Amino acid sequence: MSNTLIFGGMAIVSLFVFMNLGKIKASKNQTGRKNRIHRFKETNQKNIIDSSSKEVTKNEE
Amino acid sequence: MSKHSAINRFGRSSNPAFSRNFDQGGFRTQSSSEMDAGSGFRTTSSVVESADIMTLDGAVNKTGVLLALCFTGAAVGWNIPALALPAGILGFILALVTIFRSPSKAGTTAPFYALAQGVMLGGISLMYENLYDGIAIQAIGLTFGILASLLVCYKSGLIKPTENFRLMVGAGIGGIFILYMVSFVMSFFGSGISLLSPTNGSLMSIGLSLGIVCFASLSLVLDFDYIEEGAEKGLPKYMEWYGAFSLMVTLIWLYLEILRLLAKINSRR
């Protein structure tokens, strides 16, 4: 019985920690270091990915 | 011209679910074209819909959903252990489909995977429970305990996954995979590697299980880092499911190894 209580409680507390801490961004200590694993190419650090402009002539309109 | 039409490549990881390159066709952008009244220039831009981007919140919530499904499956497997083997095979097939065929469909396959693997885990847990009373709850507690403590270590920056770290974990998991395969092939000839047997309580066997548990735990750190980086880089939304699925694959492996380790320790009594 005590076995179930101890390990069951441990599982519930751990799940609670995971569900809450998991949603928080990692510390600068973790994300700001230079030797991070870079799996992905840089993408949308900002919302606008790319843009292009061209002059519109009257014919095109 | 667009320089960033999509992410071209997903990186390598020791987790089999992360070890494949993906086509990033699922990365949704919204193009707009509008006339700038002042300058007479037409501008076009691609704006990523923020609702379609992977977030930490989403990945954690989806892991919660998969865990709930796994527990539901485990309850079924516990009561009907005969389903464990077919469910295990189904789960294995679903894992292969998710990893190699359609990672973008992880939202569909991952819940079924979790359910099927849950049924298998329920049956296996009952088998161990019949051998050693109370072993299943110990393994569950230890699995989630390791998950939470490593998450704290990762988030605080105590454990810092680097390329070398990934290489080390990858090499270790590769070695373990070869060991499993050799044992699997030997089982066809009525033999096997006794060190992997749950009833082998020798120190060597326990040490091997402890090592495997360590590698499974460390690969959790790589999963956390993958999800964190994915959310930072704005991967497509379906990667939340894929990240959650990968975490489940590692957690299930870790749970099974802890069960085996505890059985070995109990067999010494």
Side-chain angles (χ1 to χ4, degrees):
Chain A
M1 186 64 186
S2 62
N3 175 58
T4 308
L5 279 177
I6 292 168
F7 286 98
M10 189 171 152
I12 290 167
V13 169
S14 301
L15 262 178
F16 181 78
V17 169
F18 171 74
M19 294 303 289
N20 286 286
L21 188 63
K23 295 174 181 176
I24 300 169
K25 205 174 180 310
S27 68
K28 282 261 162 58
N29 197 13
Q30 184 68 266
T31 56
R33 62 202 164 83
K34 287 180 179 174
N35 58 351
R36 277 191 85 180
I37 304 169
H38 295 290
R39 299 177 179 86
F40 318 111
K41 290 182 177 176
E42 288 294 325
T43 55
N44 56 317
Q45 289 297 337
K46 51 184 185 288
N47 265 357
I48 296 175
I49 297 178
D50 68 287
S51 62
S52 59
S53 307
K54 70 169 185 173
E55 191 169 5
V56 179
T57 61
K58 283 185 179 173
N59 291 342
E60 281 178 340
E61 287 183 10
Chain B
M1 289 295 289
S2 167
K3 283 191 288 186
H4 304 287
S5 57
I7 311 164
N8 294 323
R9 185 171 66 84
F10 277 63
R12 291 158 290 142
S13 167
S14 55
N15 189 328
F18 288 150
S19 60
R20 189 163 174 264
N21 297 334
F22 296 104
D23 174 19
Q24 288 297 292
F27 197 84
R28 196 180 304 168
T29 60
Q30 182 182 44
S31 294
S32 63
S33 178
E34 55 191 37
M35 189 74 179
D36 187 330
S39 63
F41 278 78
R42 189 187 296 279
T43 59
T44 55
S45 60
S46 301
V47 180
V48 176
E49 294 171 46
S50 58
D52 286 344
I53 287 175
M54 179 182 186
T55 59
L56 285 178
D57 249 42
V60 170
N61 287 338
K62 284 169 177 73
T63 308
V65 170
L66 294 186
L67 281 172
L69 285 169
C70 193
F71 274 109
T72 309
V76 174
W78 185 275
N79 289 301
I80 316 169
L83 290 176
L85 184 63
I89 294 168
L90 177 68
F92 181 67
I93 293 168
L94 282 169
L96 292 181
V97 168
T98 310
I99 296 167
F100 296 109
R101 293 289 296 173
S102 55
S104 59
K105 301 279 189 302
T108 312
T109 54
F112 288 107
Y113 166 81
L115 207 56
Q117 291 298 80
V119 174
M120 182 197 73
L121 290 182
I124 292 176
S125 300
L126 181 69
M127 190 185 78
Y128 276 97
E129 190 73 20
N130 289 335
L131 286 173
Y132 309 108
D133 194 33
I135 194 173
I137 190 71
Q138 287 175 3
I140 292 170
L142 287 173
T143 304
F144 286 122
I146 289 173
L147 173 77
S149 55
L150 281 177
L151 184 66
V152 170
C153 290
Y154 173 76
K155 292 282 181 182
S156 63
L158 270 175
I159 295 180
K160 292 169 182 162
T162 60
E163 281 292 343
N164 284 341
F165 178 91
R166 184 164 71 164
L167 276 174
M168 182 199 73
V169 175
I173 291 174
I176 293 163
F177 178 74
I178 290 170
L179 195 66
Y180 283 158
M181 284 297 108
V182 169
S183 174
F184 181 67
V185 171
M186 283 171 76
S187 69
F188 288 117
F189 302 100
S191 178
I193 299 174
S194 66
L195 281 178
L196 290 175
S197 167
T199 52
N200 184 347
S202 71
L203 286 178
M204 186 83 169
S205 175
I206 289 174
L208 178 71
S209 268
L210 210 55
I212 295 174
V213 166
C214 283
F215 277 109
S217 306
L218 290 177
S219 71
L220 275 179
V221 176
L222 289 175
D223 293 345
F224 297 148
D225 194 50
Y226 189 95
I227 291 171
E228 188 87 25
E229 194 186 355
E232 268 176 39
K233 300 273 169 75
L235 294 188
K237 194 77 175 168
Y238 69 78
M239 287 304 292
E240 286 177 355
W241 277 112
Y242 197 71
F245 160 77
S246 306
L247 212 50
M248 282 301 295
V249 171
T250 312
L251 275 175
I252 288 167
W253 180 37
L254 180 62
Y255 172 73
L256 287 172
E257 289 305 332
I258 289 176
L259 260 184
R260 197 200 301 250
L261 175 65
L262 290 175
K264 284 177 180 179
I265 293 169
N266 275 300
S267 73
R268 285 178 71 83
R269 287 179 183 170

